[in-house]
Amino acid sequence: MRLRTRFALWLAVWYGGVLLAVGLTAAAFWADLAGWERDTLWPMVEARLTLLVLAALLLPFALAVLLRLWFADYPVAARRLAEEVRVLRTVNPQYRVKAQGGPELAELAGEVNALAEALEALRAGVEERVEESNRRLEREKNRLAALMSELAQSVLVCNAEGRILLYNARATELLGPPDNAQGGSPVGLGRSVFGVLDKGVVEHALEKLRRRLSQPSVHSSAHFITSRGPRLLRAQMAPVLDASGGLDGFVLVLEDVTRMMQLAGRRDVVLQMLTEGTRASLANIRAAVETVREFPQMDAGRRARLIEVIEDEAQRLSERLDETMLHHGETLRAPWPREDMQASDLVLTLQRSVETSLGLTARVAGGGEPLWLSVDSHALVQALTFIAGRVQAHAGVREVTLELAEQGHHAVLSLRWEGEPLDPAVLHDWEEQPWAPPAEGRPSTLRDVLHRHDGEIWCQSDRLMGVNRISLQLPVTQPDRTAILPTGGEQGRPVYYDFDLFNQPGQTPELDERPLAELSYTVFDTETTGLSPSEGDEIISIGAVRIVNGRLLRQEFYEQLVDPRRPIRKESQAVHGITEQMLAGQPTIDQVLPVFHRFAEDTVLVAHNAAFDMRFLQLKEAATGVRFIQPVLDTLLLSALVHPGHPEEEHRLERIAARLGVPVVGRHTALGDAIVTGEVFLKLLPLLAERGIHTLRQAREASQTTLYAKVRY
């Protein structure tokens, strides 16, 4: 029986007893006065009875006031104390309970805080020992993360159901949106590889892997070609085996072969044209030669005509070959491997080579903005060292200066010296001289190196200043793009892998019965022109971040400004700071929502005060054709579930974050709020488990019982 019910029954019994006592007392007085003068004594008795009745009536109200004060000091305060102790015990050991209520509860709060201090000291000792024992494992994980981040190849590791367990920045770049659309990359932990690669091709390769695993003598890997938008990708698939030798997952190494395939196609066309164009000339030459051979005694005139035919066809064939090489030489040449490197690194390498190989003093001049070149650095350094050696022998110099400058879309690397100038004809001869043995497999002349780099070389002299230069033009490129991470003050290498996902369930489980800790989430937030979606306010920013396997993946985020095509209310702009000028030229909501929908697919949506954000999305369903039908969890409702004794203002995002020990960074930006909400959500999960809420269904049903679930927008 509840305390209030017991108190009401007790009060009714007590009040009835008081009335019965008053009645019996009045009857006794009346009997005692039977022989007295009632008219004389009755007024005195009546006054006393009146006072007694008033006292009986007022006493319950006095007791009620006292009980109310007692409830405020003890039961309510004790309930809130229990909630705060639960926070301290489960998610925020640094939290300290507040001394509220009666002196006994205040004393108890002090003892709880003292116990928390002692527990924190013990926990610090345990954590130190655990950290010491985990350092070796952490070093291995860091090596893996570094390896994956720096690999030149695009790598994906997936489990048997095709869920991505590991990827590197190259894969994010290679498999990004094919149309360069705004939004996040489709590559992410827990996502399906079939969302970025053709499912039929991947499954066919998996079948080949399974067949080959059943034949140990066969090399267990598979290759296939697939497309990603306009790109052609060559993939090598290798198996990941479990303890019993079964297929537990697979590794995909991807390479963009679009340009290679295009060059091969063009090369085939050119070779076909060359073959068809030369067949007639070769036939004529062959016929003329056979005629001369069969009739050695023919007259001189006929022999002269046949020789003339041979010469004409040979000339025509030579012209065709020259024309083909002139117009299609780049297509017919095999692609030469080049690498992207900083121009300053190339100059320093050349400086060391000149000084070590030739004994010259090489100085470096210039600099400025960093330049990136696409070069075969080994061949280029050897060729330029060869030129420096020729300059040394020609002019007798002991010192040269290396200069680097940017000119439009090219970089110019110059070798400068003082003394005897160089004739351009001499430089032309140097271009043809071999500088490396053919056995090395590298171009043997400077002209070949220039040809591979689409470069030019020239010399110039300033006779008045006595300064001479040999200048080389090289192609400028852009450095490889790396994954852009949201700022949040977090140091260290981004998380790109999670091997615990090998143990995740299949692709299509029943979501409602799955534990909350096993689900993948998209935590999102919106900024708007105002607070009234039904009155025409619009979304101006969407930010989202993913949670996979109980970890907030800050590198897998979505952030996009939106042109609302309407003014922003001043009170809203004062909160988020987004101006109409910042939104000019941004995509509209009908362009943004499909991209965000793809980012959030196959996940549970999480937001703080989700009813507000979801209302904006629902109002756009008819216009955009995009519906968000996945389950939604609200950290506002979940906070009210685990802390029902806290007043309304304690369920604001900042207050929840402070209570659970979550740092607030980037507040009132869509992405910043999404990150804070995600951290808060992860802290709420163990508190929900304390209340017996473990599955998605339990969380959804329990959320609907809170008062805040009745709010509508």
Side-chain angles (χ1 to χ4, degrees), residues 5 54 68 76 123 206 221 243 258 344 400 476 536 570 599 625 668-669 677 705:
T5 304
L54 288 175
R68 181 178 180 84
V76 174
R123 182 181 286 112
L206 277 173
S221 66
T258 307
S344 57
V400 295
V476 173
K570 292 183 179 179
F599 179 83
H668 296 305
T669 65
T677 302
T705 64

Side-chain angles (χ1 to χ4, degrees), residues 9 18 69 72 119 141 273 319 341 362 424 442 519:
L9 290 175
V18 170
L69 295 174
L119 180 62
K141 292 173 67 176
M273 293 171 51
E319 291 174 356
M341 69 180 304
R442 294 283 183 176
L519 294 169

Side-chain angles (χ1 to χ4, degrees), residues 239-284:
V240 176
L241 305 181
D242 58 19
S244 62
L247 185 65
D248 198 29
F250 55 91
V251 179
L252 282 176
V253 180
L254 302 171
E255 179 186 3
D256 187 351
V257 294
T258 307
R259 186 171 183 274
M260 184 187 304
M261 298 297 286
Q262 290 172 344
L263 285 175
R266 289 199 296 267
R267 189 180 301 118
D268 290 343
V269 172
V270 172
L271 289 175
Q272 183 177 0
M273 293 171 51
L274 184 61
T275 301
E276 293 176 351
T278 57
R279 184 176 289 119
S281 296
L282 290 174
N284 291 336

Side-chain angles (χ1 to χ4, degrees), residues 13 28 57 68 149 233 293 335 341 360 426 433 440 479 488 523 564-565 574 624 630 661 687 691:
V13 172
L57 292 174
R68 181 178 180 84
S149 295
L233 306 179
R293 182 179 298 167
M341 69 180 304
L360 285 172
V426 175
Q433 293 179 13
E440 287 191 24
V523 189
R565 295 184 174 178
T624 63
Q630 56 261 67
L687 294 175
R691 292 182 171 269

Side-chain angles (χ1 to χ4, degrees), residues 180-414:
N180 294 323
Q182 35 73 30
S185 170
V187 177
L189 294 183
R191 290 189 168 188
S192 175
V193 72
F194 304 127
V196 290
L197 296 177
D198 183 80
K199 184 176 182 179
V201 175
V202 177
E203 287 185 336
H204 180 68
L206 277 173
E207 268 310 305
K208 288 197 293 186
L209 272 187
R210 291 188 179 95
R211 287 198 303 269
R212 292 177 179 180
L213 286 174
S214 63
Q215 307 171 22
S217 60
V218 179
H219 183 60
S220 56
S221 66
H223 299 79
F224 60 88
I225 296 288
T226 186
S227 62
R228 172 67 177 165
R231 297 173 176 171
L232 282 176
L233 306 179
R234 179 167 58 198
Q236 179 180 358
M237 177 185 287
V240 176
L241 305 181
D242 58 19
S244 62
L247 185 65
D248 198 29
F250 55 91
V251 179
L252 282 176
V253 180
L254 302 171
E255 179 186 3
D256 187 351
V257 294
T258 307
R259 186 171 183 274
M260 184 187 304
M261 298 297 286
Q262 290 172 344
L263 285 175
R266 289 199 296 267
R267 189 180 301 118
D268 290 343
V269 172
V270 172
L271 289 175
Q272 183 177 0
M273 293 171 51
L274 184 61
T275 301
E276 293 176 351
T278 57
R279 184 176 289 119
S281 296
L282 290 174
N284 291 336
I285 293 175
R286 182 176 180 180
V289 170
E290 289 177 351
T291 302
V292 171
R293 182 179 298 167
E294 290 178 4
F295 302 100
Q297 304 300 326
M298 71 176 61
D299 59 87
R302 188 178 180 186
R303 181 184 294 273
R305 287 194 298 273
L306 289 175
I307 292 175
E308 184 179 355
V309 168
I310 294 174
E311 290 176 346
D312 290 344
E313 293 297 341
Q315 179 65 28
R316 189 176 294 112
L317 183 59
S318 177
E319 291 174 356
R320 182 176 293 277
L321 289 173
D322 290 342
E323 183 181 0
T324 300
M325 291 304 299
L326 177 64
H327 295 290
H328 305 287
E330 184 64 29
T331 300
L332 292 174
R333 283 192 297 269
W336 195 260
R338 299 195 302 196
E339 58 184 336
D340 293 348
M341 69 180 304
Q342 283 193 314
S344 57
D345 291 340
L346 177 66
V347 172
L348 292 177
T349 304
L350 177 59
Q351 179 187 29
R352 288 194 296 269
S353 177
V354 168
E355 291 180 342
T356 303
S357 303
L358 305 176
L360 285 172
T361 299
R363 304 188 185 278
V364 176
E369 294 296 323
L371 293 177
W372 285 79
L373 306 176
S374 177
V375 294
D376 176 0
S377 58
H378 177 74
L380 198 57
V381 168
Q382 286 198 348
L384 291 176
T385 302
F386 166 77
I387 291 297
R390 288 292 182 267
V391 169
Q392 180 184 27
H394 174 80
V397 298
R398 296 184 177 180
E399 179 179 313
V400 295
T401 301
L402 305 176
E403 298 177 331
L404 181 68
E406 183 178 12
Q407 292 184 0
H409 297 291
H410 296 87
V412 175
L413 179 59
S414 299

